[in-house]
Amino acid sequence: MLAYVVAVWLLIVGLYGVLTSRHLVHMVLCLTVTQASTYVLLVAIGYRAGGRAPVFADLAPGTPVVDPIVQALTLTDVVVEATVTAVLLALTVQVATRFGTVDPDELGALRG
């Protein structure tokens, strides 16, 4: 239950940071915090009390194990987040180069 609370807390803190950020790098970091909430949520879903790692070579039949699919999804999530963060930081560098600012409110060319 605590893991679900932590996941929601990370989501709220990350979203608050995104909404109140006045710097694009800070906004990207807040998005990574938001994404981290999915790690905690996935690990919490796959956790089984008393479960062991799903290496069946040395486990007796019927021994509870944690869900390996959720662990794989979490690792995939980490890789996707690293890629998205790298792309967003590269875009931030391009914005700073072209417009001379990283304040989202001062980016007049992006206003609709």
Side-chain angles (χ1 to χ4, degrees):
M1 181 65 183
L2 179 63
Y4 296 110
V5 173
V6 170
V8 170
W9 181 76
L10 283 173
L11 178 68
I12 291 171
V13 167
L15 288 177
Y16 176 77
V18 168
L19 293 175
T20 61
S21 178
R22 294 294 152 245
H23 196 281
L24 290 178
V25 174
H26 181 261
M27 189 178 291
V28 170
L29 294 177
C30 290
L31 283 173
T32 61
V33 170
T34 303
Q35 182 77 24
S37 70
T38 61
Y39 307 155
V40 176
L41 181 65
L42 287 172
V43 169
I45 289 171
Y47 178 75
R48 290 183 68 188
R52 299 188 55 188
V55 180
F56 296 105
D58 59 346
L59 293 178
T63 303
V65 294
V66 295
D67 190 357
I69 301 297
V70 177
Q71 292 176 356
L73 286 173
T74 304
L75 288 175
T76 304
D77 197 14
V78 169
V79 172
V80 169
E81 182 200 4
T83 305
V84 168
T85 301
V87 169
L88 289 176
L89 289 176
L91 287 173
T92 301
V93 169
Q94 288 298 316
V95 165
T97 302
R98 290 180 185 229
F99 299 105
T101 183
V102 288
D103 187 352
D105 291 335
E106 294 180 8
L107 296 174
L110 297 179
R111 290 188 183 146

